[in-house]
Amino acid sequence: MIQRLFQNMPPVTKNLVILNVLFWGVMALVPSLDAKLSQLFALHYFSSPGFNVAQLFTYMFIHAGFVHLFFNMFMLVMFGGIIERSMGSSRFLFYYISCGLFAALLQMGIYAALLSKYTGMYSPEDYQQIINMGWNYLKDGYDFVDPTMARINMLVNGSMVGASGAIYGVLLAFGMLYPNQQVYLMFIPVPVKAKWVVIGSGAMELLLGISNNTADNVAHFAHLGGMIAGVLLILYWKKKGVFNNHWFF
């Protein structure tokens, strides 16, 4: 059954699943590479010594453990194939990467807003020293004792990983293209229309993002970023008639 499901999966969805699983497998089976690959490929804030531009793309293929990977890939398998067949493979790949990229940029924008209240507390030299020292501390498994310095260090030198932003974009596409399709959710014994799932997910991520303010180590605004990018792209394509003037509402 699993083999048949995989064989029938369209090419972009299939290859995205393979890449994500391969990255996780290498990091899980070769512990000595785990920290190095995370440092290199996970997304760090722009002013971190560990940041490089490629991370805006590569962070989507790094996951914080098997459970994180499993749920993202489950969602991709459930909805990605349907959206890829609706959009076409090339457009779906562009859509997926765009949602993931915008998710990263929005989350970095939130970090910038959070960091702005700390920059005036230190001279530019001291602020940069905190960042540089904090980067070295985190590599050795330590952090600052001072809570303000530790907070700065977490925002700048902490990392963001996972395909969730892109996955939320895929979920958004499903809700827009097939709004009345019934889906089943865990812990809810009755089917729910896709449009309500998407609206509820977006509202929940917004509330969690505002209330938790990154305290739960989940990039809620990245999830919202993926959905926002999805809305903009799909509405633009609808206007251009790229679905052969057939809309799924």
Side-chain angles (χ1 to χ4, degrees):
M1 180 178 177
I2 295 177
Q3 184 179 3
R4 190 180 302 115
L5 174 66
F6 199 69
Q7 288 174 344
N8 293 332
M9 205 178 294
V12 172
T13 301
K14 181 189 298 184
N15 285 308
L16 285 172
V17 171
I18 290 171
L19 281 172
N20 278 278
V21 172
L22 279 177
F23 266 96
W24 173 81
V26 169
M27 295 173 72
L29 296 174
V30 189
S32 61
L33 289 176
D34 192 341
K36 292 180 181 178
L37 291 177
S38 293
Q39 211 173 86
L40 184 62
F41 294 130
L43 178 60
H44 298 85
Y45 186 67
F46 303 128
S47 60
S48 170
F51 172 75
N52 67 74
V53 175
Q55 290 172 357
L56 292 167
F57 170 78
T58 58
Y59 88 98
M60 289 181 254
F61 299 94
I62 305 292
H63 287 82
F66 177 75
V67 174
H68 189 203
L69 172 78
F70 174 81
F71 280 105
N72 276 342
M73 294 304 100
F74 177 78
M75 295 288 286
L76 181 57
V77 170
M78 288 292 294
F79 300 111
I82 297 171
I83 302 306
E84 182 176 348
R85 291 187 180 97
S86 299
M87 292 184 175
S89 294
S90 297
R91 192 177 302 277
F92 175 69
L93 179 60
F94 177 82
Y95 178 85
Y96 183 92
I97 297 301
S98 297
C99 289
L101 177 60
F102 190 81
L105 293 175
L106 181 60
Q107 189 66 42
M108 293 299 104
I110 296 299
Y111 287 170
L114 294 173
L115 286 165
S116 64
K117 66 180 180 180
Y118 299 117
T119 53
M121 299 172 61
Y122 304 92
S123 69
E125 295 78 14
D126 289 342
Y127 187 78
Q128 189 59 48
Q129 187 175 23
I130 291 170
I131 292 174
N132 293 337
M133 290 176 62
W135 173 252
N136 292 321
Y137 284 162
L138 288 182
K139 286 197 297 183
D140 295 329
Y142 300 101
D143 202 350
F144 293 104
V145 175
D146 179 85
T148 301
M149 296 169 71
R151 176 68 168 163
I152 294 170
N153 194 30
M154 186 276 289
L155 290 170
V156 175
N157 291 317
S159 59
M160 187 171 85
V161 298
S164 301
I167 298 299
Y168 269 78
V170 172
L171 176 63
L172 181 283
F174 185 79
M176 287 190 73
L177 300 180
Y178 303 97
N180 295 315
Q181 179 67 44
Q182 303 276 1
V183 297
Y184 284 90
L185 303 174
M186 284 188 294
F187 311 118
I188 300 180
V190 295
V192 181
K193 288 184 178 181
K195 60 185 176 183
W196 301 123
V197 174
V198 169
I199 291 171
S201 297
M204 182 178 296
E205 290 304 315
L206 179 60
L207 290 173
L208 289 172
I210 293 172
S211 60
N212 282 294
N213 215 11
T214 73
D216 61 358
N217 289 325
V218 176
H220 296 290
F221 285 101
H223 299 167
L224 282 172
M227 299 180 86
I228 292 169
V231 168
L232 295 175
L233 281 170
I234 290 175
L235 290 179
Y236 174 77
W237 287 334
K238 177 189 178 185
K239 184 178 179 180
K240 292 294 182 181
V242 299
F243 295 113
N244 296 320
N245 295 317
H246 177 69
W247 194 239
F248 299 89
F249 283 105

